């Protein structure tokens, strides 16, 4: 029985007057891939941003490997082992591809480890190696998504938060990226995944939570959710 | 010819003041993305602070000048002190506005500038009147082929180049430098790389304010008069200098500063009213042809 | 005669051939899809078709008139309207103002009529308002007319971008990934909408999209791009079974991963 | 009937305000010095509205707006003082000469706005801001060079034609005209540019043209305000219109709240009156600018979008629904969303 | 005696800002008068004793602030007359306001001719620049300086007017101006370019009719540029700080024209000097202090003699002042509302202390 890695309890987050997340509890075990699915504006990204310290929780707790994250500054959370691939890629536009990747390894001190990770990243994304000297801002959307993933790989986190990694990507790349996600997972990184394409999400994750306007409405094993009528109607369109 | 060379010396002397001040503008703009209109006032704080430090140390003075060690101590204290004030200003007045519209921070900076000028002005022991700045170290003058140069001028010009060189390498070659550049583009993403952006921004303000203090000390050494308003106009001009060079670029700030100083002196030699405006004319001309300044690169938003 | 004639359209960015000899002849009322891997040059084609980038080579003719050298706003005024891959609404303005803003060119109020608010100007304003409301109603947005665009749900923002483009009374509509980030149910609504645009308004549409179950059913023709070059062209069926397209774009697992949804 | 009342009420309000102030003056609650402070506030309100049109509604950062004010001040003063002889103008000609002067001030500022707008408005964001700063300083430097108008020493002996009534009149006129501008095709085009220039361009809006229109329009208003100012002060000098003045104007605008005319009125009024009011607290005199600065910083920290933060008094808005009310001019009509179908 | 209503007198001076050093002397000078009046209980006019209240305002040596302050004094404090400011440029800006309000205003040290030409409500307590320029030119010529150079501030009416007056007189005497250099703006601290050119012209003396805060830097930079000849200044030099900042080494031998010398043996002058010293722990009064005192005294005298104790009456009485004995001499207000007064020439010794050279009377 694998151990609990992330434990979110009664998390609520608001932006000024708007409460985007209204008391959400979920968890993730070491080695797992867990998906969060839900419509636009349901609060999925907000949850990830709060886990990685970019937003502050109004109430509730986030335990990661026994540490409480809600009061921890974002850069410490990275050091604690969480890598977040944010929505909309957020690569550093005026740095080159390589400089972006190197920043991913910002918290790593040993040169050899950095080099090793860089090689692994290039192996995973040959396109990035090809474009290593190009300014990231001029990459196409898909290329930027690869870079954002690559950059997160460079941090070497134990838990990776992925915010819509398939958004705007070609089917073959989506396939690739999900294959890579599984590889990354198999290599020992746990993954919390947000994905619009519910089918894809449920195929990849072992468990999933369905979020509706800031609250979790359905949760369970992916295989069960794939058969769930409510899920099928609203998210699988079948 | 020797007159021209003489003017060049004066231009470099003034230019080094602008350049040092411009470095701070460029750093803060480059990294935090704000035009810190209170930056010129750090120059004033440095100069005024040095004035009071020199008074405090006056028992060490011999014939009105100080030994090298004491001077170094005074300058170091003034720079560090001003640097810390810079950090404090950022923490109190700018940090809460970091995710707000740019202009809010800019207006706050105007308020901060008013405060920094008028608070000492209101204090009874400082007040509004100009004071004469002490001669910290004896200056020697000598002539080379009809051109007068003083040791103070040489020290100023050399030191400002040294500062720039160090800063350039820090930003482009060190880890903190790459963290600074990351912060400049996307603060959220920078945090996700494990960068402590508060620390990076504090360091940026510290360096900027400390360099402003240095330029204030230089300025007061050649024009030995200090008052609480001295930073305003110098600040505006140095900011223009930074933009001429390409704001956000360290070498550009230096280049802009010297261009500003030299053209100002040369234009004054044509007509005293021109000197005062030449920097602005140059600025417009340069921006029309190089919209991001001499060294600046304009980034294209991908549609 | 075709409405839009694109010949040998090419552009380079510092040696990189982003689009190479792209040709397209568009009939009125057609729906054309451009697909291809990321970075293939699809958005770049849109940028050239709207004057944002100047092509290094090639020609663009709308109803026989060359559009080369025009400014972006002139492309729009000639009748090419678009939406953006990353939504670009007038976020701080209301929904209806977003739509009215696209009517600047056709609107006939003079400056002095405006600042003195003459009866004629008020009458014109009322007409624009009605027009905009009609469009919003058609796209199910009329109840949102007076809220700020940035407060709309994502899917509604995408729709609003289309409504805004329609206010221009375009001949050709370019849609750049109209269903990116939408959930499956929203996807179907959008497909219906695009069809109606063609059927009811007779619009000609070019769309870029990576969601194959959106593209395949509605596109009359599909062009496939890779590294700036056209590698395939034809009906949905032809393209889907083209081995080059599968290798470069669709991938082996395409059928079972995507269409199952 | 309702629209008629809505149209007349504000006008009645303004007239009432005028008589209230005159009454307060006659019973010595207010003295001419207070009135003068209000006149400066009025000029500042006009300047702030003008700046708001460019910065707040078109999103083009102009931080050298005092340049336009100085052009207006000098333009108007040259007409009234140098061409028509200032104090020696026959009493019945004073008002026409004054108005002619203001018009000249506005036109000079507007024309220069056009001249510099064409090349510079292509620049984006901060760079445009910086160029406008430079523009303001170059205007100042140029005025300092012209001996016939007193060079750097300034122009003296300008007849004090501006009185409270004129200021009030022009402030109200500016508000009306600015409001009408904003709620028209021109205003919408400007706001579109502010919100997203690339999209505005793609929606067929000739962005350069509308930027220039807004710039010239604002410059004209600033010119008129400058003319009014000169005829209150009776003395003008290039250095009055330095970057410090421009940044004061920015402060009024952003403390009041951009994109809101109410904010411009509030910002211009409050921040002109505050430092003057502090002057009257004898022992605070030295601290008045400190207090002003702290107030400003606090406003910005607690209301980063300014006091009015994009909100507008209904009076200064034109509601879309009004288009469908029975107006006093035309006979129409009912709002389409209210027609059952 | 019967007591009338309290009369207010406005005092405008640069309490802060670039001329704050002068402002201190001005306020102190007027305060001396205020003390005298307080002791007397006020001013007696026609058997009625009018208490006097002074309202001090800071104009920061700026034109626009002077205008504001004039407005405030005239309309809010309803003063009967205004003393100050000291600078021509400031009163030139604000004078229109006093004139159109009909409130008498006496510039303390406003030497530019145009000041009293604004209108009949404007007066001054000092000599005018054409006279001062002539004194300076005559002195220079008398010392045997055949050539001169000038550095002046084109942004200041006083500086420009005095420069023109000097040149006119000097050339009339046969002197030659070999170089004229100007600068403008209060923010200028670098005069090196101008001084380099002046040095190259090798004049026998340099005339620098510039402002208090500018002069010390100019003296320093002149010496650094190798100008060793005597420097000649105008009334603005009359503050001890000028020499302190410039450095005794640099300023020694230089000469300036002043309205007053504390070495003046006249008993009234000496009484004033002593009173001032006692009141302000040993500070020696300068021309700013004396003229401010005298402007106040003129106003008080006018109140005493006024037919009607109101602004118009005081104005008329001011215009008629004759033979009023004041520290700097006997004052008679002339036709153009300018007093007829003499000048003193002072020279800096090796310690940088200004010492009396001679008096020149018109
Ligand atoms: N910075 C912000 N300020 C104010 N409101 C915000 C902000 N960011 C998000 N919101 C609001 O919070 C709610 C949740 O947003 P969130 O981005 O978490 O949704 P999501 O589930 O990730 O949606 P999507 O599928 O569109 O990414 C939305 O209503 C959104 O409008
Ligand atoms: N301004 C630019 N400068 C340099 N390269 C550019 C620029 N714009 C686009 N490119 C390059 O051109 C290529 C095509 O980009 P484009 O945005 O058209 O791709 P796309 O087909 O739309 O991809 P996606 O599906 O990911 O949006 C990419 O490799 C991109 O990096
Ligand atoms: C105090 C002095 C510098 C004033 C000078 N005489 C002037 O008229 O401006
Ligand atoms: Mg999201
Ligand atoms: Mg694209």
């Amino acid at each position: 029985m694998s151990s609990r890695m992330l434990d979110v309890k009664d998390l609520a987050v608001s932006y000024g007057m708007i409460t985007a997340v209204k008391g959400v509890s979920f968890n993730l075990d070491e080695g797992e891939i867990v998906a969060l699915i839900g419509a636009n504006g349901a609060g999925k990204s907000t949850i990830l941003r709060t886990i990685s310290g970019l937003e502050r929780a109004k109430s509730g707790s986030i335990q990661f490997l026994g540490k409480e994250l809600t009061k921890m500054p974002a850069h410490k959370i990275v050091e604690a082992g969480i890598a977040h691939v944010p929505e909309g890629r957020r690569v550093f536009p005026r740095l080159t591809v390589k400089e972006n990747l190197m920043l991913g390894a910002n918290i790593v001190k040993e040169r050899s480890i950095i080099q090793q990770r860089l090689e692994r990243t290039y192996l995973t994304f040959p396109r990035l190696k090809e474009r290593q000297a190009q300014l990231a801002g001029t990459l196409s959307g898909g290329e930027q998504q690869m870079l954002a993933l690559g950059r997160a790989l460079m941090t070497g986190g134990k838990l990776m938060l992925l915010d819509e990694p398939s958004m705007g990507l070609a089917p073959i790349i989506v396939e690739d990226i999900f294959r890579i996600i599984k590889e990354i997972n198999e290599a020992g990184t746990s993954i919390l995944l947000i994905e619009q394409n519910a089918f894809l999400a449920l195929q990849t994750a072992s468990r999933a939570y369905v979020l509706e306007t800031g609250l979790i409405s359905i949760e369970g094993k992916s295989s069960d959710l794939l058969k769930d009528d409510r899920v099928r109607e609203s998210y699988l369109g079948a | 010819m020797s007159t021209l060379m003489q003017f060049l010396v004066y231009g470099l002397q003034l230019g080094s003041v602008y350049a040092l001040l411009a470095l701070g503008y460029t750093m803060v703009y480059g990294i935090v993305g704000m035009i810190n209109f209170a930056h010129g006032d750090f120059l004033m704080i440095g100069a005024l602070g040095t004035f009071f430090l020199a008074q405090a140390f006056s028992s060490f003075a011999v014939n009105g000048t100080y030994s090298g060690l004491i001077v170094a101590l005074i300058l170091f204290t003034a720079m560090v002190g001003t640097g810390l004030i810079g950090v404090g200003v950022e923490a109190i007045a700018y940090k809460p506005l970091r995710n707000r519209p740019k202009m809010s921070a800019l207006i706050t900076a105007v308020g901060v500038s008013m405060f920094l000028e008028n608070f000492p002005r209101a204090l009874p022991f400082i007040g509004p009147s100009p004071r004469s700045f002490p001669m910290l170290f004896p200056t020697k003058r000598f002539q080379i082929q009809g051109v007068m140069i003083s040791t103070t001028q040489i020290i100023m010009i050399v030191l400002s180049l040294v500062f720039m060189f160090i800063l350039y390498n820090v930003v482009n070659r060190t880890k903190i430098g790459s963290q600074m550049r990351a912060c400049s583009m996307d603060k959220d993403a920078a945090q996700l790389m494990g960068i402590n952006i508060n620390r990076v921004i504090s360091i940026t303000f510290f360096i900027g304010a400390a360099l402003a203090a240095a330029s204030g000390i230089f300025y007061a050494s050649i024009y030995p008069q200090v008052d609480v308003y001295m930073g305003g106009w110098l600040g505006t001009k140095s900011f223009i200098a930074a933009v001429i060079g390409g704001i956000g670029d360290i070498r550009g700030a230096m280049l802009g500063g010297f261009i500003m100083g030299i053209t100002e002196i040369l234009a004054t030699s044509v007509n005293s009213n021109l000197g005062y405006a030449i920097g602005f004319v140059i600025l417009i001309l340069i921006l029309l042809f190089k919209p991001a300044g001499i060294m600046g690169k304009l980034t294209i938003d991908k549609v | 005669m075709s409405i839009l004639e694109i010949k040998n359209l090419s552009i380079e960015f510092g040696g990189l051939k982003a689009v190479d000899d792209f040709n397209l002849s568009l009939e009125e009322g057609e729906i054309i899809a451009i697909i291809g891997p990321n970075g293939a040059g699809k958005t770049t084609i849109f940028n050239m078709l709207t004057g944002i980038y100047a092509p290094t080579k090639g020609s663009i003719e709308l109803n026989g008139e060359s559009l080369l050298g025009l400014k972006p706003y002139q492309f729009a005024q000639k009748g090419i309207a678009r939406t953006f891959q990353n939504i670009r609404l007038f976020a701080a303005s209301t929904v209806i103002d977003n739509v009215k803003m696209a009517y600047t060119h056709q609107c006939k109020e003079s400056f002095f009529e405006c600042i003195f608010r003459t009866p004629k100007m008020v009458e014109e304003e009322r007409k624009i308002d009605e027009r905009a409301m009609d469009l919003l109603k058609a796209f199910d947005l009329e109840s949102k007319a007076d809220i700020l665009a940035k407060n709309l749900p994502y899917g509604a923002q995408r729709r609003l971008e289309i409504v805004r483009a329609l206010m221009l009374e375009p001949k050709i509509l370019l849609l750049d990934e109209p269903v990116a980030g939408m959930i499956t149910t929203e996807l179907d609504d959008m497909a219906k909408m695009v069809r109606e645009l063609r059927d009811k308004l007779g619009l000609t549409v070019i769309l870029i999209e990576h969601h194959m179950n959106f593209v395949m059913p509605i596109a009359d023709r599909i062009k496939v791009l890779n590294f700036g070059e056209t590698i395939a062209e034809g009906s949905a069926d032809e393209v889907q079974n083209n081995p080059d397209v599968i290798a470069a774009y669709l991938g082996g697992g395409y059928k079972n991963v995507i269409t199952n949804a | 009937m309702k629209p008629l009342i809505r149209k007349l009420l504000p006008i009645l309000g303004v007239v009432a305000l005028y008589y209230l102030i005159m009454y307060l003056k006659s019973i010595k609650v207010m003295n001419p010095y207070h009135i003068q402070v209000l006149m400066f506030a009025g000029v500042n309100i006009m300047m702030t509205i003008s700046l708001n049109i460019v910065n707040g509604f078109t999103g083009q950062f102009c931080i050298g707006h005092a340049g336009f004010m100085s052009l207006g001040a000098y333009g108007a003063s040259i007409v009234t003082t140098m061409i028509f002889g200032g104090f020696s103008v026959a009493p019945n000609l004073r008002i026409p000469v004054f108005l002619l002067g203001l018009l000249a001030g506005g036109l000079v500022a507007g024309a220069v706005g056009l001249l510099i707008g064409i090349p510079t408005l292509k620049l984006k964001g901060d760079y445009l801001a910086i160029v406008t700063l430079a523009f303001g300083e170059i205007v100042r430097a140029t005025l300092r060079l012209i001996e016939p108008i007193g060079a750097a020493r300034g122009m003296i002996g300008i007849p004090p034609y501006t009185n409270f009534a004129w200021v009030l009149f022009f402030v109200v006129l500016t508000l009306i005209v600015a409001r009408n501008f904003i709620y028209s095709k021109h205003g919408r085009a400007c706001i579109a540019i502010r919100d997203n220039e690339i999209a505005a361009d793609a929606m067929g809006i000739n962005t350069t043209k509308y930027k220039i229109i807004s710039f010239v329009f604002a410059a004209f208003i600033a010119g008129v305000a400058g003319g009014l100012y000169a005829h209150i002060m009776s003395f003008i000098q290039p250095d009055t219109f330095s970057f410090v003045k421009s940044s004061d104007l920015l402060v009024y605008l952003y403390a009041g709240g951009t994109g809101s005319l109410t904010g411009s009125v509030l910002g211009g009024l409050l921040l002109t009156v505050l430092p003057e009011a502090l002057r009257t607290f004898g022992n605070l005199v030295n601290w008045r600018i400190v207090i002003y600065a702290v107030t400003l910083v606090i406003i910005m920290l607690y209301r980063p979008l300014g006091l009015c933060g994009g909100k507008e008094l209904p009076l200064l808005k034109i509601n879309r629904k009004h288009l469908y009310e029975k107006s006093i001019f035309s006979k129409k009509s009912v709002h389409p969303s209210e027609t059952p179908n | 005696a019967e007591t009338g209503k309290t009369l207010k007198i406005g005092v405008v001076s640069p309490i802060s800002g670039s001329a704050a050093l002068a402002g201190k002397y001005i306020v102190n000078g007027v305060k001396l008068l205020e003390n005298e009046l307080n002791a007397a209980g006020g001013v007696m006019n026609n058997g009625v004793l009018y208490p006097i209240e002074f309202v001090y305002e800071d104009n920061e040596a700026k034109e626009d602030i002077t205008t504001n302050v004039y407005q405030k004094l005239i309309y809010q404090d309803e003063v009967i007359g205004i003393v100050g400011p000291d600078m021509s440029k400031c009163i030139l800006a604000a004078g229109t306001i006093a004139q159109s309000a009909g409130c008498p205003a006496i510039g303390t040290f406003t030497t530019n001719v145009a000041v009293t030409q604004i209108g009949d409500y404007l007066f001054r307590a000092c000599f005018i620049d054409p006279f001062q320029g002539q004194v300076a030119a005559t002195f220079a010529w008398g010392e045997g300086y055949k050539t001169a150079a000038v550095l002046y501030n084109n942004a200041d009416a006083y500086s420009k007017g005095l420069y023109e007056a000097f040149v006119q007189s000097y050339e009339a005497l046969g002197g030659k101006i070999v170089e004229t250099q100007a600068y403008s703006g209060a923010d200028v601290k670098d005069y090196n370019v101008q001084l380099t050119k002046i040095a190259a012209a090798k004049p026998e003396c340099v005339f620098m009719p510039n402002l208090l805060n500018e002069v010390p830097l100019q003296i320093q930079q002149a010496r650094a540029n190798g100008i060793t000849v005597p420097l000649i200044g105008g009334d603005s030099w009359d503050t001890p700080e000028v020499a302190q900042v410039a450095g005794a080494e640099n300023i020694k031998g230089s000469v300036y024209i002043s309205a007053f010398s504390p070495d003046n043996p006249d008993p009234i002058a000496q009484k004033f000097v002593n009173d001032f010293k006692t009141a302000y722990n040993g500070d020696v009064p300068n021309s700013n202090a004396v003229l401010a005192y005298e402007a106040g005294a003129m106003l008080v005298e006018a109140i005493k003699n006024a037919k009607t104790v109101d602004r118009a009456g005081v104005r008329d009485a001011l215009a008629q002042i004759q033979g009023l004995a004041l520290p700097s001499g006997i004052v008679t207000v002339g036709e153009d509302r300018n007093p007829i007064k003499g000048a003193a020439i002072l020279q800096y010794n090796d310690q940088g202390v200004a010492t009396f050279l001679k008096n020149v009377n018109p």
Side-chain angles (χ1 to χ4, degrees), chain C residues 120-213:
Chain C
K120 187 173 152 225
M121 178 269 185
V122 175
E123 184 58 26
E124 176 84 11
E125 280 289 290
R126 207 181 45 73
K127 278 195 198 132
I128 302 170
D129 200 75
E130 275 170 7
R131 219 191 119 74
M133 277 311 280
D134 286 347
L135 272 177
L136 286 176
K137 201 183 290 172
F139 288 84
D140 214 19
L141 283 167
E142 88 267 31
S143 60
K144 306 264 166 49
D146 288 309
I147 69 171
L148 298 185
K150 64 178 170 199
N151 292 338
L152 280 185
Y154 183 89
Q157 293 195 6
R158 285 256 177 230
R159 262 183 294 147
L160 179 56
E161 260 208 334
I162 295 176
V163 174
R164 185 180 67 174
L166 292 177
M167 190 74 175
L168 273 169
E169 306 176 314
K171 302 190 180 78
I172 295 172
L173 182 63
L174 312 181
L175 302 174
D176 197 346
E177 303 200 20
V179 296
M182 287 193 175
I183 56 172
T184 321
T185 40
E186 289 173 318
L187 221 111
D188 297 339
D189 293 344
M190 185 62 79
K192 218 170 82 204
M193 202 167 111
V194 174
R195 265 201 211 95
E196 277 180 17
L197 287 179
R198 187 253 309 268
D199 297 345
K200 292 199 180 145
L201 301 174
L203 265 180
T204 311
V205 179
I206 310 181
L207 59 88
I208 296 174
E209 194 40 78
H210 290 301
H211 282 261
M212 287 307 111
N213 29 1

Side-chain angles (χ1 to χ4, degrees), chain B residues 16-37:
Chain B
S16 62
V17 172
Y18 292 147
L20 279 181
L21 206 51
L23 283 177
Y25 271 112
T26 262
M27 294 268 294
V28 169
Y29 183 88
I31 289 150
V32 193
M34 79 173 281
I35 301 171
N36 178 17
F37 271 125

Side-chain angles (χ1 to χ4, degrees), chain B residues 25-94:
Chain B
Y25 271 112
T26 262
M27 294 268 294
V28 169
Y29 183 88
I31 289 150
V32 193
M34 79 173 281
I35 301 171
N36 178 17
F37 271 125
H39 188 68
D41 296 306
F42 295 145
L43 172 147
M44 173 272 292
I45 292 173
L48 215 59
T50 307
F51 171 88
F52 285 107
L53 283 169
Q55 267 193 347
F57 281 93
S58 58
S59 52
F60 295 92
V62 185
N63 290 333
T65 60
Y66 299 78
S67 72
L69 194 69
I70 300 286
V71 171
L73 186 68
I74 291 177
L75 299 193
F76 179 77
T77 316
M79 282 176 70
V80 171
T82 311
L84 292 176
I85 290 176
V87 173
V89 163
E90 195 277 329
I92 295 169
Y94 302 155

Side-chain angles (χ1 to χ4, degrees), chain A residues 131 134 138 141-142, chain B residues 302, chain C residues 13 38-44 53 85 210:
Chain A
R131 297 292 176 87
Q134 186 176 344
T138 61
Chain B
K302 190 175 177 299
Chain C
F13 296 108
N38 299 107
K42 305 180 295 297
T43 301
T44 307
Y53 293 158
Q85 185 169 354
H210 290 301

